[in-house]
Amino acid sequence: MIQTKYKQLVRIATAVGMASALVAASLTAFAHGGATGVVKQRMDAMEVMGEAMKNLGAMFKGQVDYDADAIQAAAELIGQHAQDIPMLFPDSHESRHGKATEALPVIWEQKERFDKFAADMLRESRALSVIAGEGEQRAVRLQFAKTAKVCSACHTAFRKPED
Ligand code: HEC
């Protein structure tokens, strides 16, 4: 029963992921400033997570109806991408100096700390999925905020500030 539900969620998450990836790919061909290879790959992954967080944010602001299944699907999707983050920042010339990258060089001086943020992301998004399944909305909102904090903490430390 739980397994079936999980499989269903993964299917939804995959469908959502593919849809967002397609949308992201079409929208960001130019926005990414001509990024290629691993830089483009990680930008696409980040965009998918950004889209998922934006949708959840809209839900918590009451702009969209609360939907526990959708929260779980988004959390699973974020978790999948969180697992890929360490691999998407290899210590290579392309990765460090690829066109349009906003990754700071300090990533490769502190790779363990960087990867730990990705692990935190995975843990918090999994917790979000579990808590959404339990149904107490206040707790779900708090866990959403905790998850969002990991995104910004990593960006503050490792991504060029917006100009
Ligand atoms: C482990 C650190 C880390 C975590 C965790 C992380 N990010 Fe990022 N993110 C980065 C870095 C570094 C970049 C810049 C990548 C580049 O330009 O090469 C980035 C870039 C982005 C971008 C811009 C992509 C583009 O098109 O240029 C978005 C959007 C984004 N992240 C969203 C998120 C969201 C949402 C989360 C949380 C669910 C998140 N990130 C979690 C490190 C992280």
Side-chain angles (χ1 to χ4, degrees):
M1 177 63 191
I2 290 177
Q3 270 239 313
T4 316
K5 178 138 196 250
Y6 180 74
K7 275 193 200 136
Q8 238 171 17
L9 281 173
V10 169
R11 259 204 308 275
I12 297 169
T14 309
V16 172
M18 285 185 334
S20 339
L22 283 176
V23 173
S26 59
L27 288 180
T28 54
F30 294 102
H32 282 163
T36 56
V38 75
V39 174
K40 169 97 168 67
Q41 266 181 302
R42 69 197 179 208
M43 283 176 170
D44 287 345
M46 292 284 175
E47 291 285 343
V48 171
M49 294 205 297
E51 202 53 41
M53 289 302 278
K54 212 166 77 188
N55 293 340
L56 294 182
M59 210 180 280
F60 290 112
K61 280 188 215 140
Q63 295 162 346
V64 181
D65 284 345
Y66 186 88
D67 178 346
D69 284 346
I71 297 173
Q72 285 189 309
E76 299 291 339
L77 186 65
I78 291 166
Q80 285 171 14
H81 286 293
Q83 280 174 296
D84 292 339
I85 290 179
M87 282 185 308
L88 291 174
F89 290 86
D91 189 356
S92 68
H93 184 82
E94 179 191 55
S95 174
R96 281 173 173 252
H97 305 289
K99 200 170 168 199
T101 184
E102 292 172 346
L104 291 176
V106 69
I107 291 173
W108 295 282
E109 286 156 27
Q110 301 180 6
K111 190 63 171 36
E112 272 179 35
R113 187 172 156 238
F114 181 81
D115 288 352
K116 193 178 165 297
F117 275 116
D120 290 350
M121 183 84 256
L122 177 61
R123 196 188 57 240
E124 300 301 354
S125 59
R126 281 197 172 146
L128 179 60
S129 177
V130 170
I131 294 170
E134 290 163 359
E136 213 263 288
Q137 286 197 24
R138 211 183 93 85
V140 181
R141 180 189 295 269
L142 280 176
Q143 186 56 36
F144 169 69
K146 245 176 137 175
T147 308
K149 254 192 203 157
V150 183
C151 312
S152 33
C154 191
H155 292 160
T156 303
F158 293 112
R159 183 185 173 193
K160 279 181 201 157
E162 312 263 357
D163 43 27

